[in-house]
Amino acid sequence: MNLPKADDLARPRPRIRRATAADTSLLTSLMLASSAYQGDYARILKNYRITPEQVSRDLIYLAESSGAVLGFYSLTLGAEPELDLMFVSDAAQGTGMGRQLFEHMRDEARQRGIPAVMVISHPPSVGFYRRMGAELIGVKPPSPPRVTWERPILTLRTGVAW
């Protein structure tokens, strides 16, 4: 068992809640500010905005603490549920926030009876998803001009029987 450090005890635990239409600008700003999407990868997010329609259609949850948004995810529900977006603010990188959001997403999928969630990963993030239990099942080919690189495709089993 790991004992908490003094810094951990002083830090309030983030609250994860369902996003609302009022959150779309904040979520878009967090996403576009991500240092993980600099250089060539920035193209994939160019002109992308989180919309109120997306918030009402998909399961979008955000984590916040002391008035700051630390990260969010979007789980699309359909014939093949997909972790469509997952971002952690640069300031919250390395704090376990990604793990908390991912585990929350897995729990949400499990509660809805979803046996597996597909993840088409940002290439630098594939290691994180594999550590979280997702299995690499293939690659999505480039789709120029915006996406000129292969993207790993993973699947996460939620524990719900097929």
Side-chain angles (χ1 to χ4, degrees):
M1 175 164 78
N2 292 330
L3 295 175
K5 298 175 186 147
D7 289 350
D8 294 335
L9 296 174
R11 197 177 317 143
R13 182 156 171 85
R15 179 175 84 115
I16 298 177
R17 67 166 175 85
R18 187 91 186 250
T20 68
D23 298 315
T24 58
S25 292
L26 265 174
L27 299 179
T28 297
S29 294
L30 185 151
M31 178 182 68
L32 295 177
S34 174
S35 63
Y37 281 85
Q38 302 300 311
D40 288 341
Y41 293 129
R43 268 185 291 202
I44 200 167
L45 297 179
K46 185 176 181 186
N47 299 321
Y48 191 98
R49 301 293 178 265
I50 308 289
T51 66
E53 295 78 24
Q54 191 176 3
V55 169
S56 66
R57 179 189 66 231
D58 301 336
L59 295 178
I60 301 181
Y61 282 85
L62 63 86
E64 59 188 357
S65 180
S66 303
V69 176
L70 305 176
F72 74 95
Y73 72 84
S74 172
L75 176 64
T76 62
L77 303 175
E80 196 165 11
E82 179 183 344
L83 177 60
D84 184 43
L85 300 168
M86 184 168 164
F87 285 87
V88 173
S89 71
D90 288 350
Q93 292 288 329
T95 65
M97 187 75 265
R99 174 176 291 281
Q100 287 178 48
L101 284 167
F102 193 87
E103 289 172 352
H104 188 275
M105 180 277 302
R106 181 189 341 230
D107 291 345
E108 286 295 318
R110 187 181 298 131
Q111 289 171 14
R112 286 169 170 72
I114 297 170
V117 174
M118 182 174 59
V119 180
I120 300 177
S121 179
H122 176 51
S125 300
V126 72
F128 167 78
Y129 293 122
R130 292 187 77 184
R131 285 190 304 277
M132 296 303 299
E135 298 171 31
L136 185 64
I137 59 169
V139 294
K140 184 171 184 165
S143 51
R146 249 177 37 148
V147 183
T148 57
W149 57 89
E150 291 182 337
R151 289 178 285 164
I153 302 173
L154 302 99
T155 188
L156 173 75
R157 297 180 193 277
T158 65
V160 172
W162 289 88

